[in-house]
């Protein structure tokens, strides 16, 4: 692995080398270098150095059959010498680091600087008493010394409120990070592994595995450590996570025994001795090189906050999160990314390092909206400052003809700083920093609650995408059914038994063969254990179908264990494990006389095709002709399948000892079988599933069943679940028919063919994993409907990985699911239950609605505050809402409101509407109506108070107050009324679909209530005791009552708005809408680009425009010079019209030589950007030079 000395572990481990690993026959370094060999090289080395695997086990003081003794002292010693099986996680950020990051927010920095300038200037007094008067209006009104000295308060108060905002932000980030570490460790504890200790097979958490353990590996495992294969059956491993090669690698003890951590078992089973764990395993070494465990990471951290290819494996990553080269395993811990980097760019960051899917719908819409609002805010604040400065200058120096005196400069500057602070405050209020916060809080809260609903969310945005789901493709077994298989019918010796017969009723020969075939030809890890509780059902461990068959053996009053003890796993001659292609499993044993017998079992229609004999009523084989097969299918298999049973055929075949058959020639071996019996296994539908499916259908979600089962079984179960209702127009087809319909003559899948099939398809039976993937891809890529379909998929098997990754949301089964499926999924269903998916839909919709509620509230405040500050500043030279007050309003409406509105619990009513779809604007017409309606009400009230308030309340006017004058009651009333209106509008904001009753379920959300009352209490304190820093004058009870009364008016006004029909308001529908252009299809996002999202595109676009601007200026100069020098253009042919369909990324087209001037009448600009102001759009001459803008 190159220069290894750079890391700390090696130094530590060096000291162990001398004592030769304290009594073990090989040291850590020897094992490490041994694990780097592959294939025959490894076999040779293992033979030469250790005397094969047995020798290696001896040196590691372990037994290949019985495993470690498992004594505490021995395990501790092994951990000390060979290391623990975990990669040390990256240190979490300290609270101070998070504070520092929160301070990086641009708006806050501007405010801090302004506040500091204001502070500095407030301590400066112009020289001499007369100086005061001579500065004219500027210093007028400084009545007494006390007031002048209070000038510093405003600056200090701004700094204080900045500190508040920063602490709240940092605390939020910190608690979020803590939550995700918790989530991560929970994901890790979920992964257990089978290990032999003291000759008992036990399940251990992955972190407890030590070197020398004997691990049992089977189909679907994610290997937790490096090891050497002791014995394997038909083992195939997917090593793409380490090598990038997608072909499965065949492993066997004599050819290639090396098994590496982080790789997936795709087929077969076996046992291995663990030789390297944690940081010394192959994956661990890669992690170390990437710096997950080292310190120098910290220094690079700043440069690459979201770099490191997403591998800062947070949580004690027990080798689970291997980053696949294609980002397939896209790290579980995505959400942590968002905790790094300032609040404002959080949402842009959140998706950066998951190339897994395009940006989540919500995130895309929000980013777009935030950019729109930000631009508007910036414009408003700039105009505000310019107007204020101009007004002041004109008023003082032009109208009143005051000379500019040097000693007055600081006073003037102080004025300018004040104006600047007002401008910045407008900006602060306009920019919704609360948006990313609301999203994060809402998602984090949902994720936490979804745990209780048996949804373990691995990628944050999956939760929200689920709310938009329009289709769910679900497995049958274990998701829609209970996954407790019981044999209920069988066909033995020419008789179809509708119930399991007494053992006496069966021919003894057939019975013996059947019991042997089932006991030996099933994974030895599959067992039926006594029930945990008295009177409970026996516990089924391992493959559930096999459990059903073993249950049959027990019902026939036989026991499978003695047979297995007689022929232990090592003695099995050859095993053909079950996979999705074979759809059967076969085991060969050597009989005492040297001949071979193969037992086979599998899907009945597949195994029966290969039988040419069947056991008759006395247990002797008789010929089984094709027409007998057809009759058997009609009389036995179809009736069983129509009862919703899964049919399994058990068969056997004898081979002579001489000549030994060629076991690799599968087609000839798995043929000419003798059928023993057909068993009908029932897997009852989960009782809660039909109701859950009905809810889905009501919510506008189509449920499709994709199963490997027989079509009749599948149809029967689909009817029981309510996926299909007799008499409807739908399709139930099997994989063969599906492929026939969607492929053209060349065998290629055609989208338009899929489009003919999927809308009506409800059941896809006998489907292979590829069919599932094809279906999911077909539905997602379909352009038939006006909305792009959002597809959720459930899966449990290893082969479901591709479909789970392709889907918008992949659900893996927590109990039955293999590690590979879990790795590819977004959400793990911890109870394997379909009804949990419905809960996920509910939570997803709730997230979307919470964000919308928050937006509706936030934007109302924004619109009002900005307009008030802007007009107030323009008309009265002073914002009616002071900087500190604005910051307080900002705090209420951003941080607290996002907490209050984002934590609304979901209700069943969410499932009564159709999904929103990807193109629906974030702000619906109802919300637009509410925002503008409430905005109008608030503006009317505030302007009334501002201009005639002093007459209504009979108080001094607060308008045109000089610098540092004491706070006026007038402006205090305006501020207080404003806050009261926000508080009551927050209650209005709880409903976004125009519901009348805004108090509905308000007490179910304690956070909301406490925040509303808390804000109210703090507001009282601020107004009564805030004094100078908050520019507040205490109010008496009557004025308070007026403020509250005007606030309550919001609720009444809300009812008025609800009465106006939306159809009247055709305009204003498009805020935050994702147009087609913004949705980059996945193919366009090429490798280098996947790290780029909206914000960066904006920057790029800025750069490109800048280059273009420069280009054009150069060109114009050249053109002018050309004209000056009088040379005419050579050859009109050189003038090439250039179409301006330049793409956003490659904005620079190369024209054959720079001397050609290309005329373009369309200034090629991306739609949202305007040409730089110094270029008149009429000058269409420009030369495109060869610049590569990247």
């Amino acid at each position: 692995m190159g220069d290894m000395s750079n890391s700390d572990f090696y130094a530590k481990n060096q000291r162990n080398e001398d004592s030769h690993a304290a009594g073990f026959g090989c040291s850590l370094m020897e094992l490490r270098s041994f694990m780097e060999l592959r294939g025959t090289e490894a076999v040779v080395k293992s033979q030469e150095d250790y005397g094969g695997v047995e020798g290696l086990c001896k040196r590691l003081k372990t037994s290949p059959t019985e495993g470690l003794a498992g004594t505490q002292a021995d395990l501790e010693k092994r951990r000390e010498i060979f290391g623990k099986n975990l990669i040390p996680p990256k240190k979490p950020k300290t609270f101070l680091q998070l504070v520092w990051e929160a301070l990086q927010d641009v708006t806050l920095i501007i405010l801090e600087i302004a506040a500091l300038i204001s502070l500095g200037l407030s301590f400066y007094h112009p020289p001499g008493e007369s100086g005061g008067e001579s500065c004219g209006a500027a210093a007028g009104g400084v009545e007494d010394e006390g007031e002048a000295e209070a000038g510093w308060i405003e600056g200090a108060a701004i700094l204080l409120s900045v500190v508040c905002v920063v602490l709240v932000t940092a605390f939020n980030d910190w608690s979020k990070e803590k939550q995700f570490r918790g989530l991560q460790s929970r994901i890790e504890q979920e992964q257990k592994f089978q290990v032999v200790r003291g000759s008992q097979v036990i399940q251990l958490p992955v972190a407890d595995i030590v070197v020398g353990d004997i691990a049992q590996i089977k189909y679907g495992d994610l290997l937790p450590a490096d090891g050497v294969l002791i014995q394997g059956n038909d083992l195939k491993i997917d090593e793409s996570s380490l090598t990038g090669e997608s072909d499965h690698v065949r492993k066997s003890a004599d050819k290639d025994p090396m098994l590496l951590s982080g790789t997936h078992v795709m087929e077969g089973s076996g046992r291995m001795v663990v030789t390297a764990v944690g940081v010394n395993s192959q994956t661990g070494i890669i992690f170390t090189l990437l710096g997950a465990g080292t310190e120098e990471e910290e220094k690079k951290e700043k440069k690459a906050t979201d770099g490191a290819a997403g591998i800062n494996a947070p949580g004690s990553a027990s080798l689970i999160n291997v980053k696949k080269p294609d980002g397939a395993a896209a790290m579980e811990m995505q959400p942590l990314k968002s905790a790094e980097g300032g609040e404002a760019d959080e949402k842009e960051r959140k998706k950066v390092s998951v190339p897994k899917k395009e940006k989540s719908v919500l995130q895309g819409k929000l980013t777009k909206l935030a950019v729109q609002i930000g631009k508007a805010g910036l414009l408003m604040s700039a105009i505000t400052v310019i107007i204020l400065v101009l007004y002041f200058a004109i008023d003082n120096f032009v109208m009143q003809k005051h000379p500019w005196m040097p000693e007055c400069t600081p006073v003037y500057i102080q004025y300018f700083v004040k104006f600047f602070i007002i401008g910045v405050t407008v900006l602060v209020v306009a920019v919704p920093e609360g948006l990313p916060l609301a999203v994060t809080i809402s998602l984090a809260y949902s994720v936490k609650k979804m745990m209780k609903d048996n949804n373990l969310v691995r990628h944050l945005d999956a939760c929200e995408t689920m709310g938009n789901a329009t289709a769910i493709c679900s497995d049958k077994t274990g998701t829609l059914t209970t996954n407790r298989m019981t044999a209920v019918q069988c066909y033995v010796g020419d008789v179809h038994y509708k119930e399991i017969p007494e053992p006496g009723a069966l021919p003894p020969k057939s019975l013996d063969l059947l019991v042997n075939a089932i006991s030996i030809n099933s994974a030895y890890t599959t067992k039926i254990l006594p029930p945990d509780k008295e009177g409970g059902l026996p516990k089924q461990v391992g493959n559930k179908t096999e459990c059903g068959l073993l249950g049959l053996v027990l019902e026939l009053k036989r026991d499978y264990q003695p047979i297995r003890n007689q022929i232990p796993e090592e003695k099995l001659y050859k095993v053909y494990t079950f996979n999705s292609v074979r759809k059967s499993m076969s085991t060969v044993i050597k009989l005492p006389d040297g001949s071979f017998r193969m037992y086979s079992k599998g899907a009945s229609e597949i195994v029966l095709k290969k039988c040419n004999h069947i056991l008759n009523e006395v247990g002797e084989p008789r010929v089984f002709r094709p027409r007998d097969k057809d009759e058997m299918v009609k009389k036995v298999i179809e009736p069983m399948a129509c009862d919703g049973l899964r049919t399994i055929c058990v068969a056997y075949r004898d081979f002579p000892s001489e000549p030994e058959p060629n076991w690799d020639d599968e087609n000839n071996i798995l043929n000419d079988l003798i059928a023993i019996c057909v068993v009908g296994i029932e897997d009852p539908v989960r009782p809660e599933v039909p109701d859950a499916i009905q809810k889905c259908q009501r919510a506008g979600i189509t449920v499709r069943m994709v199963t490997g089962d027989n079509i009749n079984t599948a149809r029967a179960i689909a009817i029981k679940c309510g996926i299909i209702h007799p008499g409807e127009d739908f399709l139930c087809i099997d994989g063969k028919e599906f492929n026939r319909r969607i492929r053209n003559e060349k065998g290629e899948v055609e989208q338009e063919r899929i489009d003919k099939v999927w809308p009506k398809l409800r059941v896809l039976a006998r489907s292979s994993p590829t069919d599932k993937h094809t279906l999911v891809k077909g539905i997602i890529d379909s352009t038939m409907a006006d909305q792009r379909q959002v597809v959720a998929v459930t899966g449990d098997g290893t082969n479901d990985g591709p479909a789970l990754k392709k889907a918008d949301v992949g659900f893996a089964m927590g109990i039955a699911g293999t590690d590979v499926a879990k790795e590819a999924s977004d959400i793990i269903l911890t109870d394997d239950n379909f009804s949990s998916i419905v809960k996920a839909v509910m939570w997803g919709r709730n997230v979307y609605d919470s964000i919308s509620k928050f937006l509706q509230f936030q934007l109302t405040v924004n619109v009002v505050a900005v307009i008030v500050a802007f007009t107030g500043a323009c008309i009265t030279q002073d914002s009616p809402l002071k900087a500190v007050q604005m910051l307080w309003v900002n705090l209420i409406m951003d941080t607290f409101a996002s907490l209050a509105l984002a934590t609304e619990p979901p209700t069943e009513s969410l499932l009564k509407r159709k999904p929103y779809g990807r193109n629906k604007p974030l702000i619906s017409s109802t919300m637009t109506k509410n925002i503008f309606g409430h905005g109008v009400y608030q503006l009317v009230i505030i302007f009334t108070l501002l201009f005639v308030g002093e007459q209504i309340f009979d108080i001094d006017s607060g308008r045109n107050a000089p610098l540092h004058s004491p706070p006026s009651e007038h402006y205090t009333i305006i501020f207080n009324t404003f806050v009261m209106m926000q508080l009551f509008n927050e209650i209005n904001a709880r409903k976004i679909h125009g519901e009348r009753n805004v108090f509905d379920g308000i007490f179910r959300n304690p956070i909301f209530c406490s925040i509303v009352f808390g804000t109210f209490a703090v507001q009282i304190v601020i107004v009564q005791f805030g004094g100078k820093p908050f520019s507040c004058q205490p109010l008496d009870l009557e004025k308070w009552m007026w403020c509250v009364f005007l606030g309550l008016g919001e609720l009444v006004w809300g009812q008025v708005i609800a009465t106006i029909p939306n159809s009247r308001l055709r305009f204003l529908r498009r805020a935050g809408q994702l147009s087609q252009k913004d949705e980059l299809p996945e193919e366009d996002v090429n490798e280098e680009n996947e790290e780029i999202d909206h914000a960066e595109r904006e920057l790029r676009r800025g750069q490109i425009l800048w280059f273009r601007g420069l280009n054009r200026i150069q060109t114009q100069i050249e053109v002018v010079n050309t004209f000056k020098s009088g040379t005419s253009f050579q050859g009109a042919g050189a003038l090439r019209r250039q179409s301006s369909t330049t793409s956003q990324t490659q904005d620079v087209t190369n024209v054959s030589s720079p001397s050609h001037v290309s005329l373009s009448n369309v200034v090629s600009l991306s739609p949202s950007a305007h040409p730089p102001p110094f270029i008149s759009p009429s000058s269409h001459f420009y030369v495109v030079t060869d610049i590569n803008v990247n």
Side-chain angles (χ1 to χ4, degrees), residues 96-116:
L96 284 174
Q97 279 172 306
L98 290 170
V99 168
W100 175 243
E101 279 176 1
L103 278 170
Q104 312 294 312
D105 192 354
V106 186
T107 42
L108 289 181
I109 293 176
I110 298 176
L111 267 183
E112 287 154 29
I113 294 172
L116 288 172

Side-chain angles (χ1 to χ4, degrees), residues 1113-1127:
I1113 291 178
Q1114 283 172 348
T1115 311
Q1116 285 166 356
I1117 293 171
E1118 281 173 35
V1119 171
V1120 171
N1121 290 344
T1122 317
F1123 279 123
K1124 266 190 194 154
S1125 59
T1127 57

